[in-house]
Amino acid sequence: PPTTTLIVFASHPGFLDKHENLVRFSYEALTLMDSSTSQLVAFHPRAQHNLYSTPNEIDKEVDDPYNFVTRSPYPTLHLLRTVDLVDAAKFMKGDTE
């Protein structure tokens, strides 16, 4: 099976115009999947990383470079297999077993 899948909403419904709606949509999708085997990462043209911040964290400006980590030309969901993330983390730590 593929180790990663990108779902790009090039002709997306209007509700995906907002980054917050894509994040909500991805959480809804996760409830339909086995979240122990898969993970979703949302990318959006107007992504703002402070959406994931706690209320005590300082809000970043919209064009702060920090926000570009999860930006993409179109609303996109990145579907990843959890086992591949675990393997990648082990590899990055030098643990090849």
Side-chain angles (χ1 to χ4, degrees):
T3 60
T4 186
T5 301
L6 291 174
I7 304 167
V8 180
F9 299 94
S11 298
H12 57 86
F15 81 99
L16 290 181
D17 284 343
K18 291 186 175 183
H19 178 230
E20 298 87 356
N21 292 343
L22 179 65
V23 171
R24 278 191 215 106
F25 179 77
S26 68
Y27 285 127
E28 289 291 325
L30 273 176
T31 63
L32 301 173
M33 301 171 13
D34 181 357
S35 61
S36 68
T37 61
S38 301
Q39 295 185 22
L40 280 175
V41 180
F43 295 89
H44 195 277
R46 294 186 205 103
Q48 284 186 257
H49 214 283
N50 63 0
L51 180 64
Y52 304 101
S53 302
T54 62
N56 296 333
E57 292 181 321
I58 298 171
D59 287 347
K60 303 277 186 188
E61 293 294 321
V62 173
D63 290 331
D64 188 294
Y66 186 65
N67 289 321
F68 286 86
V69 171
T70 54
R71 287 205 180 154
S72 63
Y74 298 102
T76 302
L77 293 178
H78 189 180
L79 177 63
L80 300 147
R81 293 186 328 163
T82 302
V83 67
D84 294 329
L85 294 174
V86 170
D87 289 347
K90 287 179 183 177
F91 179 78
M92 293 304 291
K93 290 181 181 179
D95 182 3
T96 57
E97 292 184 33

